[in-house]
Every structure is written in C-alpha cells, then in structure tokens.
Amino acid sequence: MAIAMLALLIGGRHYALAAAVLPQHDPHAATANKPTHAKRPADSDDDSDDQTDGSDEDDPDADAATVPATEAQPKNYTVGPGSVQSLMAWKAPKLPDITQYTEAAAMQQLHRGPAGHVHVGSMMEQLSFKNFMGRDERMREWARRQSSMPQVIFVDGYVTPRDLSRTLPKQYFAETEPGVFVARLPIDILPGATLHIDKDVKDFRLSIDRGAFIVNEGDLFINHSRLEGWNEAKNTPAFFEDEKDFRPYITSWGGSRTYMIGSVVAHLGYAASKAYGISISQYSPSMAPIMKRKAPTGWLLNSEFLDNWYGFYCYEAEDVVIRGNTYHDNIKYGIDPHDRSRRLIIAQNTVYGTRIKHGIIVSREVNESWIIENTSFNNGLSGIVADRSSMHNVIALNKSYRNKSDGITIYESPNTLIWSNLVTANNRHGIRVRNSIDVQLRDNVAVGNALSGIYGHIENLSDTGRNLKLDPFHPIISMIVVGGKLVSNGSGPITIDQPLSLEVYNVDLREPRRELGIHFTGVLGAHQERVLDIMVRQKLPVVVKPEAISVNTASD
C-alpha cells in the first residue's frame, strides 16, 4: 500500500515536476569557492562502482517490455485530448553564455608568482597520495618502476618545465631535445603552486617506464602545448594495450584548478581508481574531511584528447567548462562527469570513436548542468547519456549520429530536458528514456534510426549487478513530447510501455519505413486509431494515462 501511495503522489505531481525540469539558477554563478556539501554514500570510499555493473550498457532484450504488466503495474490506459495551452506555456531556457570561456579569460587566472622551487621527496610524506595506496597495490608498482621507495617531485610556487630541468637531475626530469621534456617521477603540484606548460614546450612526456604521473593540488596550466604518456624503452607514445596496464595520468584533487587550452593531451590512463587519464576529483569520503578542500574545477578549451582510458572524468567537481574540444579514439568513455558534480558546461565539443562505451555521459547525481551544441558520433554505445539520478540537466542543440546504440539515452534520471537535438542513423533508438519521470522532449528531430525515433520503457535492473544502495531505481516512466520531427525510423516514431503518463503534441510524423504507413507500438499502438484521430484530425495533444496507478519500487 505504501508503494502504491508513493506512485500516486508522483503521478499527482507530474505537471509541477515537469515545470522544474530546468536548472533553477544560473549554473555558473560565482560559487566555485564554496565547499561541496553533497551527501555521499557511507559505504563508498573510491570509484570502484563507477559504471562497472553493466546497467549503463545497451541491452537488446530491453527493446521488448522487460517488466511485464502484473497486478503491480498498469494494464489498461485511457487516451484522450489534452490542453494545448498548458503545453505551449513552456518557455525555452536561457542558455549559458559560453562566449565568456576563452583563452584570454583563462590566462587571466594564471598567477606567475611567487618564484617557485622544487624538491624530491618520499611519496609517503604527502596525504594527497593516500588515495592511490589502496587494495590495487599501486605503491608496489611505483617502487618496482623506480627501483626504490617511491619518490615524487614536489612543486611549490610558479614553475615551468624548464625550471624543473634546470633544478633536477636528469634521472628525475630532463629536456631530451629542445622543447621536449620527460618526467621520470610523479609530480605533485602543491596547494597554492602552479605548473605552467606553455607554447615553448613542444612535448611534455610522462614516462611509463618510471611510473610518472601528475597530481595537481594547486593550478595546472597547459596552453598550446602537448602532454602525453611516453614509453621510453620503445621511444613511442604510451599507446593503450590493456586496461590493467599502468599508464601515466593526471589527477587534480580538491581545491585545484585545471586549465587546458589549445593543447593535445594523449595516451593517458588505465583502469585504476582516479587514474583514468584526465581526472578532476574531490578526495574520497574518508580523505575529504581531513583535507578540507573546496570542490575542484577547471576549463578545458579548444584542445584535443585521444587514446586516453577516459577522455575526461570528474568527481564532485563544480563549474567545470568543457568547450570546443575534440575527443576521439578514447578507450572507455569520451567525456564522463561523475558523482555529484554540478553546474557543468559541456558545449561545442566533437566526440567520436570512443571504443567501448559512450561519447558523453553524466552519471550519478550530476545535476544542474548543460550539454549543448556538441557533436557525438561513431561511439561504442550511445552518443549522449544521462545516468543514475542525474537531474535538472539540459541536453540541447546537439547532433548525435551513427552510434552503435542510441543517439541520446536517459537512464534513471528524472527532470531532464531534451530540446532541439538531431539524432540520426543510430544503430538502435534515436532517443531512449528508461525508468525516468518528468522527461521533456521538445523540438527534437529523429531520422533514420534503426529502431524507434523515441523509445520509453521500464526495466528491472536487480539482476545487472547494480549496487542498489548506491544506485536505486524505480521502474516508472513519464514523458512529454512536443514538436519536432520523427522521420523514417525502423520500428516506428514513438514507442512507450507502461507509462505513468504520456503527452504528445504537434509532432511531425513523416516517411514511415513500413508500407502500411505510420505504425505505433506499445501503449500507443494499442490505441493507434484514437491517437491518430486526436493528433492528426483534431490537432490536439494526446494524453495517455493508466486507469489505475500502482508500481513496484526497487531500492535495495
């Protein structure tokens, strides 16, 4: 009975929640100096649960009704006309002004003082390395590569690669040819310090042979340069071979700022916590209360990222801007903001050739963010994804095509606006929505996708290996679909099964692949004549509601 009452309450609040689908404030107000107050799960001290259970992957069987109607789910629906006025009262969101995020604005944040100094010390002397000393025995790996107790280059003040090469022995850091530098130890940019890799640096190489990587606790600036993992034994870049094999990486911890502008960052990262490639991350739940640092942030502008385990990753970061970059041929994900990151701008990027999973994904309570004007194509799964209770996000003005799964996928992420996107020639659906309520789809164009133009469904994720305490799900769905064009999609224009509610209005249905003309499946298919009468002849919204609302909820 309590579960049924919850569902009724959710259904009763449908319209109020839909009005709140947008970020409720300017996502880039001046809040970067505020500490993060997001609630963390008590049982998670690293990111070992980050999308490893398969529930963010494409499941061909989910294209059928994977949660059959039972006594606990609606069976019968009413179909009738709705209110044009209420649907058209919606106002388009004001997009953030991304023109302010420029190279000139970023370089104004660079502080060239005080004069820097460096020293080599034990990795054990700095708490910032504690997060790398877990059950995967990375300390032993670094000791083996350095042939000693692990040591680190500590950077304080303002320092350039040339400063490092003048100060340190060649066994630790060297300029091997004009403008080409090799780091042979990990580098720690201390709080308040700056490492500046500028256009005078042709190539900044992190030696895979010696276990080099960068920890940023202060400011890292890379502008008009190149940074890459490097295999000194082979004298080649540290190309990806196996996810378990160490490769250099960059991790920017709490309190840090990371600026990458007009540069190439490549051949970094492997499958170890916070060692994914380019990571902007708050400390783990056990370390954050000790370190007491504000949320990390950064701008990544007009750069190229390739052959990294993750092209980008963040964890409890705030106000990060990822604009105008090219992410290609990265391994697992292209752009992957994660746990409780917020107020992000992901705009005007081109993401393609991600080998294993998605081009762009925000996952696990990544809220109040903008994914706008990106192009994502030829990725291993979907082009753009919102996942695991990521809410109040706007996905707008993107192009997503020729992906091996969907163009845009929404998994367990209510209160999402999908607006004015083009999704075409994807191997599965144009837009897929799973287990999410109050999702608005407005003015989207879905053309020539292999299955449905828009597909909404519920699915039981209990058997996927998902951590249901960390990532609960509710098998309910509701959508509003207004405007746009659904053209020549293989399984039909719109399919939805067992919705809590569905409203469809003013959608242009053209060139069905089927010889018999427009053909709906799911709930709409069961009432096709009535649906087409309301949509085509009466030119009114179609409202689909269950006669009785009662759903199961899975959360443990």
Side-chain angles (χ1 to χ4, degrees), residues 116-188:
H117 61 274
V118 300
H119 74 278
V120 175
S122 170
M123 187 178 289
M124 303 297 293
E125 73 181 61
Q126 197 70 10
L127 278 175
S128 57
F129 287 88
K130 181 174 175 58
N131 274 119
F132 298 135
M133 301 176 187
R135 53 182 177 261
D136 52 6
E137 297 187 336
R138 277 186 273 180
M139 180 68 75
R140 181 179 297 180
E141 173 79 10
W142 295 320
R144 181 183 68 79
R145 291 177 183 271
Q146 294 186 24
S147 300
S148 66
M149 284 299 293
Q151 293 182 297
V152 178
I153 299 168
F154 292 101
V155 171
D156 201 1
Y158 174 84
V159 171
T160 68
R162 190 151 277 110
D163 296 329
L164 293 172
S165 67
R166 283 196 296 257
T167 305
L168 297 170
K170 287 183 170 51
Q171 69 197 66
Y172 298 148
F173 192 94
E175 185 173 11
T176 56
E177 58 184 273
V180 177
F181 299 87
V182 178
R184 294 174 173 141
L185 289 180
I187 297 172
D188 185 1

Side-chain angles (χ1 to χ4, degrees), residues 494-496 502 504 520-529 531 542 544:
I494 305 176
T495 299
I496 186 166
L502 171 67
V504 182
F520 295 112
T521 56
V523 171
L524 294 175
H527 302 272
Q528 176 151 323
E529 291 186 9
V531 169
V542 174
V544 179

Side-chain angles (χ1 to χ4, degrees), residues 83-84 86-90 417-423 431 439-447 453-454 479-487 489 493-494 502-510 520 535 539-542:
S83 167
V84 174
S86 64
L87 289 178
M88 301 311 291
W90 176 84
L417 172 63
I418 307 169
W419 173 46
S420 292
N421 301 281
L422 171 63
V423 289
I431 300 172
V439 176
Q440 293 204 47
L441 298 90
R442 290 181 176 266
D443 301 321
N444 298 288
V445 176
V447 180
I454 296 171
M479 296 192 305
I480 292 175
V481 182
V482 176
K485 297 179 181 180
L486 305 177
V487 181
N489 296 289
I494 305 176
L502 171 67
E503 296 179 65
V504 182
Y505 176 60
N506 196 32
V507 180
D508 188 351
L509 310 175
R510 295 189 183 185
F520 295 112
M535 287 182 64
K539 299 188 184 302
L540 292 172
V542 174

Side-chain angles (χ1 to χ4, degrees), residues 16-67:
L17 285 170
V21 73
L22 305 179
Q24 298 300 299
H25 58 279
D26 179 355
H28 283 70
T31 56
N33 292 326
K34 295 181 180 180
T36 300
H37 298 292
K39 183 178 180 181
R40 291 166 152 171
D43 59 345
S44 177
D45 198 41
D46 61 24
D47 44 15
S48 60
D49 287 311
D50 285 357
Q51 300 162 252
T52 57
D53 56 49
S55 62
D56 77 322
E57 298 179 7
D58 181 45
D59 179 5
D61 294 333
D63 295 324
T66 57
V67 182

